[in-house]
Amino acid sequence: MTAHAQPSATDQVLAEVRNHIGHLTLNRPAGLNALTLDMVRNLQHHLDQWAQDPQVKAVMLRGEGPKGFCAGGDIRSLHDSFKAGEKLHEDFFVEEYALDLCLHRYRKPVLVLMDGFTLGGGMGLAQGCDLRIVTERSRLGMPEVGIGYFPDVGGSYFLSRVPGELGIYLGVSGTQVKAADALYCGLADWYLDSTRLAALDEGLDRLVFGEHPLKDLQGLLAKLGTQVLEDAPLARLRPVIDHFFALPDLPSIIEQLRAVTIGNSHPWALDTAALLETRSPLAMAVTLELLRRGRHLSLEDCFAMELHIDRQWFEYGDIIEGVRALIIDKDKQPRWNPPTLGELTAQRVDQFFEGL
């Protein structure tokens, strides 16, 4: 085993190899481990190195601190780059998507611990991994529509493959889910109580690898966790979600949600309609189209579609206003353009997909 330099605690990504496992830890706990371009490059560098190293049998990905694995990309820096006429926001997405795709295609098993918040860019990393672990603290979501953006990082691929219309619902509403729903939706593979995480680390440090490292890791997880949790709220809501979110467009979805007066879904339907009316109309409509197209596209084509929209979005989308209202001025009063779905034309949505 080659000796590895000890990472400095100030590094934004900590990397070390123990017992044939490459450990990567996102180390910006104060920022909920949100990704910077340097972090993306650092992760890519280590993954490329370990892919070629026969001594490394698997990779473990996690975030520092109990609050989150990764709450997305460092969106403030991307906003500032666009405003200053620089290129960081363009480079970031190209390299972030390449990293996500690398994880989806990685030749060695990758475990990810989605403890705490796993949002946006954090989901992009996690959904490419083979063994996706959640705990009782996990909160998973693609909340982009809330800041006038759309679910990227492969979201058009992995959300569109969630059963029924659940992925459409999660993407268009930006709703976060907990562990039971994450397992039900197929966005996680294993549940471990956070009290078992120390035992997981001990097990990884002692694991004897045979010819099939993935099976060895699954065997360890089977001793510590479970793959099904009872009482997933989305399982109960599935029939109504499948009904409403299969409707042809957002005005129909909201209108019918508001019209529901019977059964247990009534409060949920009204709450969902109210939530959708706070989101960027343009972002929701583009998300709906993006996810419906994504169902029929390969993973690579989904990333290409997202990048195509990205290249137009900072100028013509709602993200700059969303970041202003929610992150910079914090007035929480975004002035979406247009302000309502009624004023949004089909042409405005279609323009983002032209030339694909």
Side-chain angles (χ1 to χ4, degrees):
M1 201 75 174
T2 49
H4 292 265
Q6 280 304 103
S8 146
T10 56
D11 292 346
Q12 291 189 335
V13 173
L14 308 179
E16 64 172 330
V17 177
R18 300 195 314 269
N19 187 32
H20 303 285
I21 299 172
H23 290 265
L24 288 170
T25 304
L26 307 179
N27 188 35
R28 285 186 72 210
L32 289 176
N33 300 313
L35 292 170
T36 63
L37 184 55
D38 281 346
M39 290 167 76
V40 167
R41 289 173 174 170
N42 204 319
L43 291 166
Q44 187 73 64
H45 167 75
H46 288 292
L47 288 169
D48 290 347
Q49 243 184 356
W50 292 341
Q52 304 299 323
D53 185 344
Q55 291 295 318
V56 177
K57 307 289 187 194
V59 175
M60 172 82 193
L61 191 54
R62 69 174 73 204
E64 186 60 44
K67 290 187 177 170
F69 162 57
C70 172
D74 182 7
I75 207 81
R76 173 74 189 259
S77 65
L78 306 180
H79 165 281
D80 295 350
S81 158
F82 174 76
K83 284 294 220 184
E86 292 163 0
K87 278 189 70 226
L88 170 71
H89 60 290
E90 295 173 15
D91 296 341
F92 179 81
F93 290 115
V94 170
E95 296 189 41
E96 182 189 25
Y97 296 1
L99 171 64
D100 295 335
L101 187 57
C102 165
L103 283 163
H104 279 275
R105 296 280 182 252
Y106 208 62
R107 305 278 287 276
K108 299 178 181 185
V110 185
L111 303 86
V112 61
L113 179 58
M114 297 187 280
D115 193 20
F117 287 107
T118 303
L119 307 172
M123 287 286 278
L125 294 175
Q127 294 308 315
C129 298
D130 303 282
L131 300 168
R132 300 161 299 169
I133 304 161
V134 284
T135 73
E136 77 282 0
R137 298 187 291 227
S138 295
R139 299 290 181 275
L140 277 63
M142 296 296 287
E144 288 80 1
V145 288
I147 58 160
Y149 193 51
F150 58 91
D152 63 336
V153 295
S156 59
Y157 184 84
F158 62 77
L159 281 182
S160 66
R161 280 153 180 80
V162 169
E165 301 295 322
L166 292 173
I168 303 280
Y169 161 65
L170 293 175
V172 168
S173 69
T175 301
Q176 295 176 24
V177 298
K178 298 180 184 178
D181 279 333
L183 291 168
Y184 176 71
C185 289
L187 295 169
D189 305 297
W190 290 92
Y191 172 82
L192 262 66
D193 199 271
S194 60
T195 56
R196 309 301 302 273
L197 296 181
L200 173 64
D201 280 325
E202 285 168 25
L204 291 172
D205 286 344
R206 287 203 305 264
L207 194 61
V208 178
F209 284 104
E211 283 191 23
H212 302 289
L214 182 60
K215 283 187 179 170
D216 301 328
L217 293 162
Q218 285 170 325
L220 172 63
L221 289 169
K223 290 176 190 158
L224 298 169
T226 178
Q227 291 196 283
V228 180
L229 288 175
E230 298 303 317
D231 209 31
L234 288 183
R236 291 194 305 277
L237 287 166
R238 172 83 184 273
V240 289
I241 288 175
D242 283 356
H243 167 72
F244 290 118
F245 284 85
L247 291 167
D249 52 39
L250 278 155
S252 316
I253 291 171
I254 293 177
E255 184 184 342
Q256 288 216 18
L257 284 167
R258 289 224 169 277
V260 175
T261 54
I262 50 167
N264 297 333
S265 66
H266 178 52
W268 172 85
L270 289 181
D271 289 349
T272 300
L275 177 65
L276 296 180
E277 285 173 341
T278 69
R279 305 310 202 192
S280 156
L282 178 64
M284 285 194 299
V286 167
T287 295
L288 186 63
E289 177 68 15
L290 179 83
L291 297 182
R292 287 179 173 171
R293 285 180 180 233
R295 284 177 167 158
H296 312 290
L297 297 176
S298 69
L299 179 63
E300 284 82 357
D301 286 346
C302 281
F303 277 117
M305 174 170 63
E306 292 165 11
L307 201 55
H308 178 79
I309 299 173
D310 264 328
R311 293 195 165 124
Q312 310 163 67
W313 197 263
F314 277 75
E315 194 165 347
Y316 301 111
D318 264 342
I319 189 168
I320 296 299
E321 173 58 15
V323 173
R324 180 208 64 75
L326 296 157
I327 296 172
I328 297 174
D329 297 345
K330 296 192 167 99
D331 59 28
K332 295 191 168 61
Q333 299 290 320
R335 296 184 286 275
W336 303 128
N337 177 27
T340 66
L341 280 165
E343 296 163 84
L344 179 63
T345 63
Q347 186 202 3
R348 178 94 192 276
V349 175
D350 293 343
Q351 277 177 330
F352 287 100
F353 296 90
E354 277 172 17
L356 265 175

